[in-house]
Amino acid sequence: MLVVKKFGGTSVANKERIYNVANRCIEEYKKGNDVVVVLSAMGKYTDELITMAKDINENPPKREMDMLFTIGEQMSVALMAMAMANLGVPAISLNAFQVAMHTTSVYGNARLKRIDCERIRNELEQHKIVIITGFQGVNKYDDYTTLGRGGSDTTAVALAAALHADKCEIYTDVDGVYTADPRIVKTARKLDQVTYDEMLELATLGAGVLHNRSVELAKKYGVQLVVRSSLNTNEGTVVKEGHKMEKMIVSGVACDTDAARVAVIGVKDEPGVAFKLFNALAKANINIDMILQSVGREGTKDITFTCSTADADDAARIISDNMECQSIDVNKEVAKVSIVGAGMQTNAGVAAKMFEALYDANINIRMISTSEIRVTVLINEKNTERAMNAIHDKFDLGNVS
Ligand code: ADP
Ligand code: ASP
Ligand code: MG
């Protein structure tokens, strides 16, 4: 059996944790299995690298950021191989170059295109544990790239797919996927199972426990994931294909405080305006999320949308350079709060119940968007924690239904 095990930053934060991970992997190896380990940078090392870079240059070139980032993961894999050697087990560390993990060329947000498995297979045949850097890749210019923050999960799933692994386990600092971030909602409950679609929505809407592209890949290639803790042996959460897994209409609540609202006031009420606006933003690679257009009055209308906080000022500048409008209002003090659940497709009144929870908590809703399996509201950022708890309580997510 071939097993891919991924360990996040907190799981390899110090010597004791590194040995803990080494021992867990060796346990699997001693069962006679092939073991491929994917690691993140130690603790908050990636954040520290960002601080270091910004100290040198407020606006560092993206290529050089990726060059810098790669050392974090490289440090973890080398130290892990040393720990395993010390425990008498043959192990080898490999970075993205050595494996040949080909990505697109976008620095800081590259996508994996192809992984060569030959080197990994050779090392496994020699009965070594193979320890691979998460998060990084190599583009067509032979430069290092990274997959976006939290991207080591995606490396692990991509490797599991490419190697046709029998198991892909994501080890982290919580026991699994919860009904809400357990750091924000104390009554959050661990889910035994969650579907790919629900997990994809949760991850995209701010549940940082899994990188959303890892879930996308897992669904595409049918890689069943287990999310579990590296600090205990509790059973984790299984992420897999399926319909409504539990008798719950709503599976979880997620929040994303990295949201900004851009209101474009008084654009012309005529054909082509939305195209012009969003086309200009698309050309600048700015991702748009919720969109709201007001009813036209006296020849003008307003278009409001959300994007990431980092893109908001650029978005406003691009719009004012490209089209006529009366004014543009940027608000970065907003957050998105969402409920997700495959069960809501067939249940009326789910959105109303969420809005009631917010009404009870006296929290104003600024924008709303929905899909088949989610409802998202935009609220003032300062209310995020209260909103999460109010909604979680309203749907009684802390109790098994
Ligand atoms: P790692 O370094 O192991 O990749 P992350 O910090 O990326 O760990 O992800 C784990 C964190 O995700 C948890 O500590 C938790 O605060 C957060 N989180 C957010 N939403 C959820 C959720 N629904 N279930 C579990 N954890 C969540
Ligand atoms: N070290 C990277 C980050 O902190 C990747 C990861 O942890 O998944 O974002
Ligand atoms: Mg992570």
Side-chain angles (χ1 to χ4, degrees), residues 152-192:
S152 298
D153 300 329
T154 300
T155 309
V157 175
L159 278 166
L163 293 163
H164 304 289
D166 301 282
K167 267 207 278 187
C168 182
E169 298 173 325
I170 310 286
Y171 288 86
T172 185
D173 55 3
V174 286
D175 281 4
V177 179
Y178 281 68
T179 48
D181 186 338
R183 292 181 208 284
I184 298 177
V185 178
K186 297 291 169 232
T187 53
R189 182 175 55 84
K190 192 189 82 188
L191 297 165
D192 293 333

Side-chain angles (χ1 to χ4, degrees), residues 6-10 38-47 49-50 69 72-73 76 134-136 146-155 211:
K6 179 260 170 181
F7 296 87
T10 28
V38 175
L39 300 182
S40 293
M42 293 169 72
K44 300 251 170 271
Y45 198 64
T46 305
D47 293 328
L49 291 174
I50 295 177
F69 277 146
E73 272 60 22
S76 302
F135 182 47
Q136 56 180 252
T146 58
L147 310 180
R149 297 303 307 271
S152 298
D153 300 329
T154 300
T155 309
H211 193 229

Side-chain angles (χ1 to χ4, degrees), residues 116-163:
D116 287 350
C117 295
E118 205 184 321
R119 177 77 192 262
I120 303 174
R121 291 220 182 271
N122 282 340
E123 302 294 350
L124 289 173
E125 269 165 31
Q126 294 170 48
H127 299 291
K128 290 182 197 161
I129 296 183
V130 183
I131 311 160
I132 299 173
T133 48
F135 182 47
Q136 56 180 252
V138 181
N139 70 13
K140 63 181 176 199
Y141 310 111
D142 275 357
D143 282 342
Y144 279 116
T145 54
T146 58
L147 310 180
R149 297 303 307 271
S152 298
D153 300 329
T154 300
T155 309
V157 175
L159 278 166
L163 293 163

Side-chain angles (χ1 to χ4, degrees), residues 16-319:
E16 189 201 339
R17 297 263 171 95
I18 287 178
Y19 271 100
N20 168 55
V21 168
N23 280 314
R24 287 192 87 137
C25 295
I26 289 171
E27 204 180 302
E28 187 79 62
Y29 174 83
K30 292 212 162 142
K31 287 182 199 159
N33 294 326
D34 286 334
V35 182
V36 172
V37 185
V38 175
L39 300 182
S40 293
M42 293 169 72
K44 300 251 170 271
Y45 198 64
T46 305
D47 293 328
E48 284 167 33
L49 291 174
I50 295 177
T51 309
M52 257 186 254
K54 297 234 156 155
D55 188 37
I56 297 282
N57 178 345
E58 252 309 297
N59 213 353
K62 288 199 163 133
R63 178 193 179 277
E64 304 309 331
M65 265 328 285
D66 282 358
M67 189 72 178
L68 184 65
F69 277 146
T70 51
I71 67 171
E73 272 60 22
Q74 200 154 314
M75 187 197 252
S76 302
V77 294
L79 292 173
M80 186 61 69
M82 293 175 197
M84 290 183 185
N86 202 24
L87 294 168
V89 172
I92 183 165
S93 66
L94 297 173
N95 68 13
F97 226 105
Q98 293 166 313
V99 170
M101 283 218 221
H102 302 276
T103 69
T104 55
S105 44
V106 188
Y107 299 107
N109 196 22
R111 280 176 176 265
L112 280 166
K113 290 203 307 198
R114 188 166 50 83
I115 300 178
D116 287 350
C117 295
E118 205 184 321
R119 177 77 192 262
I120 303 174
R121 291 220 182 271
N122 282 340
E123 302 294 350
L124 289 173
E125 269 165 31
Q126 294 170 48
H127 299 291
K128 290 182 197 161
I129 296 183
V130 183
I131 311 160
I132 299 173
T133 48
F135 182 47
Q136 56 180 252
V138 181
N139 70 13
K140 63 181 176 199
Y141 310 111
D142 275 357
D143 282 342
Y144 279 116
T145 54
T146 58
L147 310 180
R149 297 303 307 271
S152 298
D153 300 329
T154 300
T155 309
V157 175
L159 278 166
L163 293 163
H164 304 289
D166 301 282
K167 267 207 278 187
C168 182
E169 298 173 325
I170 310 286
Y171 288 86
T172 185
D173 55 3
V174 286
D175 281 4
V177 179
Y178 281 68
T179 48
D181 186 338
R183 292 181 208 284
I184 298 177
V185 178
K186 297 291 169 232
T187 53
R189 182 175 55 84
K190 192 189 82 188
L191 297 165
D192 293 333
Q193 297 184 334
V194 63
T195 67
Y196 289 129
D197 287 340
E198 287 174 323
M199 194 60 235
L200 186 56
E201 291 278 8
L202 283 170
T204 305
L205 296 164
V209 61
L210 282 179
H211 193 229
N212 66 348
R213 294 222 309 275
S214 72
V215 188
E216 215 169 70
L217 275 186
K219 180 179 156 94
K220 185 167 168 193
Y221 293 102
V223 177
Q224 189 167 310
L225 299 179
V226 178
V227 181
R228 57 188 303 188
S229 171
S230 66
L231 305 169
N232 61 46
T233 53
N234 296 347
E235 278 188 28
T237 304
V238 180
V239 186
K240 62 177 193 180
E241 196 60 82
H243 304 293
K244 206 173 61 158
M245 294 287 182
E246 299 188 5
K247 286 194 228 76
M248 293 164 64
I249 295 165
V250 172
S251 302
V253 192
C255 64
D256 185 359
T257 52
D258 177 27
R261 187 189 68 160
V262 180
V264 189
I265 316 286
V267 291
K268 282 202 185 120
D269 190 13
E270 62 182 25
V273 169
F275 164 67
K276 225 168 154 186
L277 197 163
F278 292 111
N279 190 42
L281 296 175
K283 277 192 186 146
N285 264 324
I286 294 178
N287 282 328
I288 302 305
D289 189 19
M290 303 163 98
I291 299 177
L292 188 80
Q293 177 175 298
S294 70
V295 177
R297 228 185 319 135
E298 290 162 12
T300 68
K301 62 188 174 191
D302 308 334
I303 296 180
T304 306
F305 62 86
T306 61
C307 60
S308 76
T309 328
D311 283 339
D313 291 329
D314 282 346
R317 187 181 42 76
I318 289 164
I319 295 163

